[in-house]
Amino acid sequence: MLGVSLYKDKVSYLRTEKSNNSLSVTHHGTEKYQNFNQLISNSVKNIIKNEKIRNEDTISFVIDSQFCSFNEIYCEDSPLLEFHNDLSGNSSFKDYFDSYYYPITSRDDHYLGIHIERGFKQQILNSIDGLDFSIRSIGIGIFSAETLARFVFNAHSLDNYLIIRFITSNSLEVLFINDGLLSVYARY
């Protein structure tokens, strides 16, 4: 599988192969682009060409949380979550953004909303056109790290755990999992 991570003007990639019970990294690296459009449209093609990757069939993307908008809402009835997309005063919000809501804490009415611009998402999908690849997943930064911690490093067997991402020397992102439930997402 090929994993591609998009952050600012850089793309990082990691190609892995699974055999028996082991996982091996066969290719990895980072490439920098002059502008964001080049990053999206050319990065996958360049990685495949430069690394001579021919037998891959799926790609997993991880996009940085900077490309998303977040909100926290309380909603007693989960089907009413679509109503919150209209609260911005512009009913065309859902024409431009795909919104996903995830339960946070043990309360039944507490959600974290993650919103990604549809045009950006479509650019990612278009970047693999004609390459005989399919997209396995599109994850978001620290949330993908939490999935890795849970499934690869068995963090789900712990009562509580914290994932910290150091973005810069004065900026960090935090996820706190309490009894298996997302309890805190924050940027400091």
Side-chain angles (χ1 to χ4, degrees), residues 31-119:
E31 292 188 25
K32 191 170 182 172
Y33 289 85
Q34 290 182 351
N35 66 54
F36 183 72
N37 288 330
Q38 282 183 340
L39 170 79
I40 299 297
S41 62
N42 297 333
S43 60
V44 173
K45 292 172 190 162
N46 291 346
I47 292 166
I48 292 167
K49 179 183 168 191
N50 295 342
E51 298 296 325
K52 297 175 180 66
I53 298 172
R54 300 204 195 306
N55 59 347
E56 209 59 50
D57 58 351
T58 61
I59 299 176
S60 289
F61 282 93
V62 175
I63 60 173
D64 191 69
S65 58
Q66 72 175 347
F67 299 121
C68 301
S69 298
F70 296 86
N71 70 332
E72 182 179 2
I73 61 172
Y74 293 89
C75 181
E76 291 182 18
D77 191 8
S78 60
L80 293 176
L81 288 171
E82 279 301 313
F83 170 74
H84 288 277
N85 287 338
D86 296 328
L87 290 181
S88 65
N90 183 356
S91 61
S92 63
F93 179 81
K94 57 188 166 199
D95 294 338
Y96 299 101
F97 288 89
D98 284 334
S99 298
Y100 306 93
Y101 295 95
Y102 300 95
I104 186 169
T105 72
S106 59
R107 291 180 55 156
D108 291 340
D109 64 347
H110 194 182
Y111 294 89
L112 175 68
I114 301 175
H115 314 280
I116 182 170
E117 184 186 353
R118 283 189 176 178

Side-chain angles (χ1 to χ4, degrees), residues 149-187:
R150 191 169 0 118
F151 291 110
V152 175
F153 298 109
N154 295 320
H156 63 278
S157 64
L158 303 171
D159 290 335
N160 307 310
Y161 57 97
L162 180 72
I163 308 278
I164 300 175
R165 175 180 173 231
F166 294 93
I167 301 169
T168 63
S169 61
N170 62 357
S171 177
L172 59 96
E173 204 171 22
V174 175
L175 276 182
F176 178 62
I177 308 300
N178 185 13
D179 287 332
L181 300 172
L182 175 62
S183 293
V184 174
Y185 166 72
R187 288 182 73 128

